[in-house]
Amino acid sequence: MTSREVIRLNRLIANRGLLQIFFALQLVVGIMFIFNYMVYKNSISGIYEKVTENNRMVIRNIIQSFDASFTSINNLMFNIHALPYGQIVDSSGQQDMEKVLLLEDSLARMVSTMDYVENAIITYDYKLAITPNGSSSMEALFDRKYTNLKYNSMFWQNFIRSEHDFTVFPADTYSEIDSTVKKELIVAVDSSRLRMSNKKLMVLIDVNKLLSSIDLKGMIPGASLIVLDANRNLVLSTEKDLDLVEILNDVYFNPSSEASVKRENFEYNFYKSDYNGFIYINKLPYKFQNIGSVTNANQWIMYGAIVLAVLLSVLLSIYLYRPVKNIVQLLGGSNLKGNDFVKIQSGIVKIQRENESLRSQMHLVDSEIQRGVFLQTLDGLPHSREYEMQMQNHYADLFQRRYFMMAAIHLIPVDNREQQEWSIEDITERLRSEVTGELEHVVVFHEEHLRFLLLISVDIPAERKKLLKKLDHCIRQAEETGLRSFRLQGCISRVFESKISNCREAYQDVRNGFQYRDVNGNVHLIDTEKISFVTDIYFPLQKIEKLSNCLMTGKQDEAMDIVNEVIEENSGKHVHHHQLVHMAQTMFLVMLKQADTSEENRYELFRMETEMMQRLREAYSVDQVREALMEGLRRIMAMRNVDSKSKLNPAFISQYIELHYMENLYLDHMAEVLDTSSKYFSNYFKKTFGVNYVEYLNKVRLSHAREYLRNSDLSIAEIGEKTGYTNSSTFTTTFKKYCGVSPSEYRKKAAE
């Protein structure tokens, strides 16, 4: 062997792909050889014997099915004879139609259980035919509905009148006179010799349905079945134009219940029924005599097929290797060593992974585009033509019905540790799965933070109530199962026509629903159609002023009582959520005025104000609003810079005025108490409290005066004296100046 031939041989061995294809084809050839050899060893004659033996078992089962069918026919006739009414004529010779109708109903019930029974007929006088479908004359029945050239109404009337045994007439074609519909029917006529009643009975059997119930598919292909009655009259044959005269003569004197006759290329097997003496003939192809030559031919065919398969394997190996090599190069594995098919498999797996990743990315991009298009529809601003065209591309996804509703769902974390493990994508997918389980056509979008929007398609506006219940159930179920670490609050809009322009109005509807919800409401789903407007808000200015004074004087507990009282009063009035939030923010700003505004606390005050305003806006319930205000109050009290060693400080001054407001607190008296001059004290007071000393003193006194007017029976003069005014006229003038009404008018309004 030359060196060049050795190199070629080494290259051939290195081409594992070629060898793998060749040996794979050889494996197929080997399997083919094994199976062919098994067929050869079993021989055609052996297979034929097994098939014919199986066919005998099938025929026996078919005979049993036929016997069972004719047993059912005999039972049906027996039950019909057992029906009442030996006659259907009354004493005057007229037909009793009540009896006829009862017989029709009874026949209908009996026949309905047997699918292959086409009809059952009762006759008394050979003229009237009573059937499950109604009664008619024998002429109309057999000359119009079941017409046949041989068996007409006259034939049946004469036959029924004659002496006869139970007779089964062979299958023949019957049709309606004005229709092209034809049916193969067998007619069974009851015996007139053994009469159980005056009824003459006929049963019409549908051949096709009878054969369907018996199932002849188990017979050998090419075989046929012939049924003869006990007198060797033909009843049924699956093969037309079959001459059995010579064949029947050969078995006429055979007393056994089974026999076989061979004619030309067919074998005829005879079976006799033990039930009614019927003879069943199974015609099947007979095995050919030259079985030896066929076996030898089969042997040569087998060996020739093996040789040709080996040659074909070589050619296919060479032909298929080239595309395999090209595929390896396309997948980038041509420079790698190893099995070519392993390279192809690894390349295909890599491409599948890349395609899966690309599909995921495209799905995410498409979802984000759809979300962006939807959210831009909510801004209410005019858009470019390109944006309008892009919006139309997603129109079918957003609006799947003629109408729609928009729902908003807000998630409030209740377990921050578990909530930190969730991503927005996870929450969106979990919420989508929970909602789509109940609602058929709904689209879920993430709006911002933990807020989501739903577009629910509606067929008719009347479905709104039912869909609202389903959505409420979805929210409750999600809160209990998939989103247990959140509290879910939803709001649903009215029904709108499916137009892009209506999205903005629907969005405003759900936003208003959240703002105008009842602060005491504990429902999971807010219905915007059931929100009632409330204007009776409790915001007492004198209490708010007193709250400021309490903070100034360090009375934290009393300030908390005032905050709690205002919150509770508004809660009892069922004000809207946004009203309570605005009022709470106002109270916080009033309290913030009493904080220490020194330079080092300015940033802390700014941060606290921003934080508290955000917290109040996001407060879900009355308790959360109250808790936020109480925390803000405590933080403001902690920030107040009170120097207990110095009398000249706001806390001491406000507390002293609160305790001695009923005395003559002249400016000079306060300066003397504080060990300073009256001018310095006046300037300090206005700079610190924002108002002059006299105005502040009057407000404190009048605050207590209003309490007396509302809650006591003291006279105007007595109240003025108790609050530090020397005469009633000065008290009345000052009260009217600051309160806008006289003390007596204020008391009257307070009483009302």
Side-chain angles (χ1 to χ4, degrees), residues 198-210:
N198 293 333
K199 304 179 184 70
K200 286 78 176 177
L201 305 181
M202 298 176 66
V203 177
L204 279 61
I205 304 169
D206 190 318
V207 174
N208 292 329
K209 292 183 178 179
L210 178 63

Side-chain angles (χ1 to χ4, degrees), residues 552 596 637 639-646 649-652:
M552 186 182 299
D596 183 11
M637 291 295 295
M639 290 180 62
R640 286 182 56 79
N641 185 16
V642 179
D643 186 3
S644 58
K645 298 180 180 179
S646 174
N649 62 72
F652 177 81

